[in-house]
Amino acid sequence: MTTRRKKIYEGKAKILYEGPEPGTLIQYFKDDATAFNDQKKAILEGKGVINNRISEYVMIKLNSIGVQNHLIRRLNLREQLIREVEIIPLEVVCRNVAAGSLSQRFGLPEGQALPRSVIEFYLKDDKLNNPMVAEEHITAFNWASTQEIDDMMALTLRVNDFLTGLFAGVGITLVDFKVEFGRLYENDFARVILADEISPDSCRLWDTQTNEKLDKDRFRRDMGDVIEGYTEVARRLGIMKEMPTVIQGGLH
Ligand code: TMP
Ligand code: ASP
């Protein structure tokens, strides 16, 4: 179905193909899971289908509150039609609760609430292992302008506020997440919009009652039942019923 299209870019979890019209692309969600910059790999059957649907659900909701993003519409189980943007080479992480690399860096116990939401920037460069960068580096090396940094921070906080509430409503704590942004060119003006995906691959999602992890940490930390965690997120969001029977039945 997708082979005849021109491949534009292949990442670890997604492929971008040429879209049907100029200014559009097709984003294909693979079942590949990687962690620690590709050192750990697996195929998690059905992951791409679930992430495609969860990310579509989240992006539509964000668009409805005025957070513009690249999604035009989901095409099928694994593909979305998206707007072509110039990806800003930064991973923007927002944290509400200490976990992962923040806990390691500052010796904070996982699960400790942070005094306020914290935003961090990482350079999107696998060869350098995505190093954390300061605003000074971002502007000095021209990865983004001061205005773009302000825009990304404001958008990330809106995403955080909205998603914190959305997940809280279904008994899930949004511990942290990573987003990426792109420039959408309109005449001579470039606007920063949300791109990439928002899914259990890019968020830490814990059951609020039990702190059970429902996200990619199940894979990173060899906890097992990775797809079951992702499926539980989809089920709580109310989008599991429409999944193909093969996924509803449970894949391992
Ligand atoms: P970290 O604690 O490992 O820095 O991760 C923070 C958040 O960012 C967590 O929700 C997972 C997400 N993340 C990605 O989506 N991609 C990555 O490459 C990394 C390192 C983290
Ligand atoms: N996505 C990164 C990788 O592939 C890291 C991670 O999510 O833990 O290695």
Side-chain angles (χ1 to χ4, degrees):
M1 186 175 14
T2 48
T3 42
R4 63 197 153 77
R5 294 195 193 113
K6 190 170 157 218
K7 197 188 277 189
I8 304 286
Y9 174 83
E10 177 152 8
K12 292 190 288 269
K14 298 187 293 297
I15 307 174
L16 295 178
Y17 295 96
E18 196 173 61
E21 289 161 32
T24 65
L25 295 174
I26 288 166
Q27 175 166 254
Y28 176 95
F29 287 74
K30 300 193 278 187
D31 283 343
D32 301 61
T34 69
F36 315 115
N37 202 10
D38 231 10
Q39 288 179 53
K40 184 180 166 85
K41 293 184 212 210
I43 305 284
L44 302 175
E45 217 177 313
K47 178 177 80 92
V49 175
I50 298 175
N51 280 357
N52 182 22
R53 181 65 184 103
I54 292 177
S55 196
E56 177 207 19
Y57 179 86
V58 169
M59 292 293 189
I60 289 175
K61 293 256 181 215
L62 286 170
N63 191 54
S64 76
I65 60 148
V67 176
Q68 292 186 328
N69 61 72
H70 72 167
L71 179 73
I72 300 171
R73 64 192 158 86
R74 186 165 64 88
L75 296 172
N76 55 47
L77 286 179
R78 288 188 183 271
E79 295 176 329
Q80 303 180 345
L81 182 64
I82 58 169
R83 249 175 258 290
E84 183 172 24
V85 294
E86 180 183 274
I87 289 287
I88 295 174
L90 297 168
E91 302 204 341
V92 184
V93 168
C94 181
R95 304 175 185 272
N96 302 305
V97 175
S101 70
L102 182 86
S103 286
Q104 283 182 354
R105 187 174 291 119
F106 299 127
L108 297 172
E110 280 216 325
Q112 181 174 302
L114 299 176
R116 63 171 173 81
S117 303
V118 172
I119 293 181
E120 301 168 338
F121 293 96
Y122 294 83
L123 183 63
K124 194 172 151 64
D125 186 332
D126 285 343
K127 287 193 296 299
L128 298 176
N129 212 5
N130 295 354
M132 192 178 193
V133 293
E135 289 190 32
E136 274 287 284
H137 303 126
I138 298 174
T139 50
F141 294 112
N142 245 326
W143 296 319
S145 67
T146 308
Q147 180 62 55
E148 287 173 333
I149 295 174
D150 288 350
D151 291 349
M152 286 188 285
M153 290 183 76
L155 286 166
T156 302
L157 288 176
R158 287 179 68 192
V159 171
N160 187 45
D161 286 347
F162 180 74
L163 289 188
T164 296
L166 180 84
F167 283 118
V170 296
I172 293 175
T173 303
L174 179 63
V175 170
D176 56 33
F177 63 93
K178 184 265 300 185
V179 279
E180 295 182 23
F181 294 92
R183 299 183 182 99
L184 186 65
Y185 286 93
E186 281 165 346
N187 305 318
D188 280 342
F189 184 76
R191 192 154 37 103
V192 172
I193 67 167
L194 186 62
D196 193 50
E197 71 177 283
I198 297 183
S199 73
D201 267 9
S202 59
C203 303
R204 284 198 174 90
L205 302 167
W206 295 358
D207 179 274
T208 307
Q209 296 291 319
T210 63
N211 279 349
E212 185 189 8
K213 298 180 201 315
L214 303 171
D215 56 65
K216 194 172 158 188
D217 271 347
R218 287 196 179 198
F219 172 69
R220 296 190 189 95
R221 303 180 187 191
D222 291 320
M223 298 165 74
D225 290 343
V226 182
I227 286 297
E228 285 74 359
Y230 287 41
T231 300
E232 179 61 15
V233 174
R235 195 186 64 73
R236 295 212 197 165
L237 292 175
I239 54 180
M240 200 53 209
K241 291 184 289 294
E242 66 194 57
M243 291 283 176
T245 352
V246 64
I247 289 176
Q248 284 191 27
L251 287 157
H252 300 275

